[in-house]
Amino acid sequence: MINYNDKTFRAVSNTPNGETSSETVFHYQQEGRILTATYKGGKIVSGHLIGLVDERGTIDMRYHQVNDKGELMTGECQSTPEVMENGKIRLHEVWEWTSGDQSKGTSMLEEV
């Protein structure tokens, strides 16, 4: 199992209906299978996520955030890890808003 504890990630891509950007930084903590994170930057004033990590390092998570319009947004995401040549982790994400327009998208995060 990949351990995400104390790792920092930055968004490197997102579909247009998402709110994360290259200015968004995530700080992950993990205890056993339970993953939590805080994040902010760009359009996101404050965000939190909670998830479960499986034996392959895949994360099933739920998130909530307040954007720069003062809106509370919620969603769910499945993140699949890829270990890059430099040993850092890239997360391939498929997500869906559970608030707002309930649209779907994809994004990518990379360990800083």
Side-chain angles (χ1 to χ4, degrees):
M1 176 190 319
I2 292 176
N3 190 322
Y4 296 97
N5 195 49
D6 288 327
K7 295 192 182 292
T8 301
F9 291 84
R10 182 176 299 275
V12 295
S13 69
N14 200 356
T15 48
N17 58 328
E19 293 187 337
T20 61
S21 68
S22 62
E23 298 172 311
T24 310
V25 178
F26 296 76
H27 299 283
Y28 281 50
Q29 299 295 316
Q30 184 176 344
E31 191 171 320
R33 291 187 56 220
I34 300 171
L35 177 82
T36 60
T38 58
Y39 58 99
K40 65 181 179 178
K43 293 180 180 179
I44 300 169
V45 176
S46 180
H48 301 92
L49 65 82
I50 189 164
L52 293 173
V53 181
D54 73 12
E55 62 281 347
R56 296 177 315 272
T58 301
I59 308 165
D60 178 23
M61 72 176 77
R62 306 297 179 268
Y63 58 89
H64 60 258
Q65 61 200 39
V66 175
N67 63 26
D68 59 0
K69 298 176 190 172
E71 300 168 321
L72 177 62
M73 302 295 291
T74 61
E76 56 187 34
C77 177
Q78 285 70 47
S79 296
T80 304
E82 169 194 357
V83 178
M84 300 183 293
E85 287 185 16
N86 63 6
K88 300 223 178 212
I89 300 167
R90 176 182 289 148
L91 293 172
H92 299 269
E93 303 187 317
V94 177
W95 53 265
E96 179 176 357
W97 291 114
T98 56
S99 64
D101 66 6
Q102 299 188 342
S103 61
K104 298 179 181 183
T106 59
S107 55
M108 189 181 308
L109 305 182
E110 288 185 356
E111 185 180 352
V112 177

